[in-house]
Amino acid sequence: MENSCLRPIDRNGKLLCPVPDNYTLKEAELKLGSSLGLCFGKAPTPSQLFLFFAVGSDIQPGTEMEIVVEETAPVSDCLKLMLEKSGLPGETWHLRKMDWCYEAGEPLCAEDATLKELMICSGDTLLLVEGKLPPPGFLKVPIWWYQLWEPSEQWKSHQNDSSCAPSRGGGWGAASTQGAPGNMPVEVSLLCVGDVEISEDATLADLKSQAIALPPLSDFAVPSPAFLRAWTVESKRPGRLLRINQQRLKDYKLGRRTEVCLEPLQKEENLGPQDVLLRTQMRNPAERTYAPALDLVWDTARGWTARSLRQTVASFYSLPVEKTEIAKYFPEKFEWLPLSGRNQQVTKRKKKKKQDSLQGPPYYLKDGDIIGVKNLLVDCDEDFSTIRDDAGKEKQKQLALGKKRSQGALRVHSSSAEGPARPRGPEASLSIHVGSFQ
């Protein structure tokens, strides 16, 4: 039994870190009913770390490998040991720590730093990711091409392929926002075109210039970087708009995980710090569909109020303000939230009216948001939704119902495995006497 150890087992049947031999049950956080496995191999010493690791950023449960290393080992030595154990050739690999949502987190850039200095603990999962890290002071930025129309079947099959490239048949400006599908809110397709290694002291314009030189974009005659919008990529969708071409990348605080997508424009654009870029779509009455999307630049110098935005949208579409209704679209929920512009809040202390800011709850308005527009002269329906929204909500409902059923079945299985419930003791009466304090 000298070459064996005890390892806790979680509810999913996964073996956790071995329990050190000198630990008490309290130190090992073992409770009544905990499951333990008697496994081959010695438990790590107090100066060692027991780590899980996997290859790639797409982790499948049960595919993790295990390794025991000294906590004083540098990242470079840990990387070599993991490469040897996994049988991977070459030196173009780096380590990343898995974040709280089980995705690849920040890379371990300081290869000379020890695992202890980087606060790596037993039980952590490290990811072996292909690709050499850029030298200090440089960024390796994956570049995506931003499309706003419905992708073809060929594009759909290549959206996750690193060799994908935009179609070259439409010429420059083919990705105008006016090409968005008319029967649904804006659909976004991000197509990977390659990586750019660039200094943190370079400007956003430098990044755009280097991205244009990538082979998949070589056929596009881009007049200047001002004809490209740059967005960060968040949850596989455009996130933050990078608006100032002459600003340094260091000032944007992109980090080493940031990916950037580029959107081609028909004309130069120079957005100010108070300008907000919105995608507006006019609702087709009685059809529950929307016209192609149009970009609207909203100057918020007068405040982030619904009334101001409503006036801007009405002027943009040449409609009377009182006959214009707008709503923000939440694609993850398939819901539209009306922005009436009529909600006013009276503060008791200042005794004056104050309009709610669209930056705060529940709107959280930002660059790139979809705004539905309704002409009340021809469309009196209060609903902003589409048939696609109905289908999306129904699918979410079915998924939630299935998850609830599976959790219920798991609770039933757990309770049956633990045996019958303990009988409750007899109930006793309780009397409370309150004294008189008069």
Side-chain angles (χ1 to χ4, degrees):
M1 303 295 289
E2 294 182 357
N3 198 27
S4 61
C5 60
L6 291 175
R7 297 181 61 177
I9 304 174
D10 66 8
R11 291 184 176 181
N12 298 321
K14 179 182 178 180
L15 287 169
L16 304 180
C17 292
V19 178
D21 296 335
N22 59 340
Y23 269 30
T24 64
L25 294 179
K26 184 177 181 179
E27 290 174 330
E29 298 181 357
L30 297 176
K31 301 178 181 179
L32 184 64
S34 296
S35 298
L36 290 172
L38 182 62
C39 304
F40 179 77
K42 290 184 178 180
T45 65
S47 65
Q48 293 179 325
L49 299 176
F50 183 93
L51 302 175
F52 298 96
F53 70 98
V55 179
S57 55
D58 187 14
I59 307 172
Q60 299 297 328
T63 61
E64 302 96 335
M65 291 174 274
E66 303 165 355
I67 193 170
V68 176
V69 294
E70 293 290 334
E71 63 179 3
T72 55
V75 172
S76 57
D77 290 352
C78 182
L79 174 61
K80 291 178 181 178
L81 291 173
M82 290 181 176
L83 287 173
E84 290 175 3
K85 188 160 187 178
S86 56
L88 294 173
E91 298 181 354
T92 56
W93 297 86
H94 65 275
L95 288 177
R96 291 176 181 261
K97 188 175 179 180
M98 188 175 70
D99 61 16
W100 62 274
C101 56
Y102 298 94
E103 294 181 355
E106 292 287 344
L108 305 184
C109 301
E111 295 187 348
D112 296 332
T114 65
L115 300 177
K116 184 178 182 180
E117 290 172 343
L118 297 177
M119 295 187 290
I120 305 297
C121 305
S122 285
D124 286 346
T125 300
L126 299 182
L127 302 178
L128 273 170
V129 181
E130 192 169 10
K132 191 75 173 177
L133 289 176
F138 280 76
L139 298 172
K140 187 175 182 181
V141 184
I143 303 296
W144 297 77
W145 191 252
Y146 188 117
Q147 297 290 346
L148 282 173
W149 62 71
E150 188 174 10
S152 66
E153 293 301 320
Q154 180 181 0
W155 284 12
K156 288 180 180 179
S157 64
H158 288 83
Q159 284 184 10
N160 296 322
D161 189 348
S162 60
S163 63
C164 61
S167 170
R168 303 180 184 180
W172 173 252
S176 167
T177 58
Q178 297 184 13
N183 62 341
M184 63 185 69
V186 175
E187 283 292 313
V188 175
S189 173
L190 299 184
L191 307 174
C192 181
V193 294
D195 298 330
V196 168
E197 188 171 307
I198 190 169
S199 170
E200 291 180 323
D201 292 324
T203 64
L204 178 61
D206 296 332
L207 176 65
K208 292 178 180 180
S209 298
Q210 290 194 32
I212 295 170
L214 292 171
L217 301 180
S218 59
D219 287 353
F220 287 91
V222 183
S224 72
F227 283 77
L228 288 173
R229 279 196 197 119
W231 305 78
T232 61
V233 178
E234 300 172 9
S235 302
K236 299 181 180 181
R237 293 185 61 87
R240 179 163 58 108
L241 179 60
L242 309 178
R243 58 181 69 227
I244 304 176
N245 278 325
Q246 299 308 316
Q247 186 165 333
R248 296 185 304 172
L249 300 178
K250 181 190 298 184
D251 299 329
Y252 281 112
K253 299 180 181 180
L254 298 179
R256 292 184 175 268
R257 296 177 55 191
T258 303
E259 302 178 0
V260 172
C261 59
L262 299 178
E263 176 188 356
L265 303 173
Q266 296 284 356
K267 59 182 181 180
E268 289 190 23
E269 181 176 80
N270 187 17
L271 299 178
Q274 294 180 326
D275 292 333
V276 179
L277 174 69
L278 301 172
R279 314 287 193 187
T280 61
Q281 291 187 269
M282 177 64 72
R283 182 177 173 84
N284 298 321
E287 296 181 12
R288 299 190 70 194
T289 61
Y290 283 87
L294 299 175
D295 286 351
L296 170 66
V297 177
W298 174 36
D299 184 2
T300 61
R302 297 182 180 179
W304 284 72
T305 63
R307 184 183 299 276
S308 172
L309 177 57
R310 199 158 146 261
Q311 290 174 344
T312 303
V313 171
S315 175
F316 183 75
Y317 282 94
S318 300
L319 295 174
V321 177
E322 64 276 4
K323 296 299 180 181
T324 304
E325 199 68 40
I326 56 178
K328 176 184 171 179
Y329 185 55
F330 291 85
E332 67 280 358
K333 298 179 180 179
F334 300 96
E335 292 181 353
W336 297 84
L337 182 59
L339 295 83
S340 66
R342 304 182 180 91
N343 295 333
Q344 291 185 328
Q345 190 177 16
V346 179
T347 58
K348 294 181 179 179
R349 293 182 179 180
K350 296 185 178 181
K351 302 290 184 180
K352 67 178 182 179
K353 295 181 179 179
K354 177 184 177 182
Q355 292 183 332
D356 297 331
S357 172
L358 298 182
Q359 283 182 295
Y363 304 107
Y364 300 104
L365 200 65
K366 63 184 184 303
D367 291 310
D369 278 347
I370 302 170
I371 301 296
V373 184
K374 191 182 297 184
N375 181 1
L376 299 182
L377 293 172
V378 294
D379 187 0
C380 297
D381 188 5
E382 296 182 357
D383 186 25
F384 275 87
S385 66
T386 65
I387 298 176
R388 178 175 175 269
D389 296 328
D390 295 342
K393 284 187 176 182
E394 182 62 26
K395 184 177 180 180
Q396 287 184 338
K397 182 180 178 180
Q398 295 301 324
L399 289 174
L401 185 60
K403 184 178 181 180
K404 186 176 181 181
R405 288 174 178 172
S406 62
Q407 290 176 345
L410 180 62
R411 284 195 294 268
V412 171
H413 176 73
S414 299
S415 61
S416 61
E418 293 175 358
R422 296 181 181 180
R424 297 178 62 180
E427 296 183 358
S429 60
L430 178 64
S431 299
I432 299 177
H433 299 279
V434 180
S436 176
F437 296 95
Q438 294 181 353

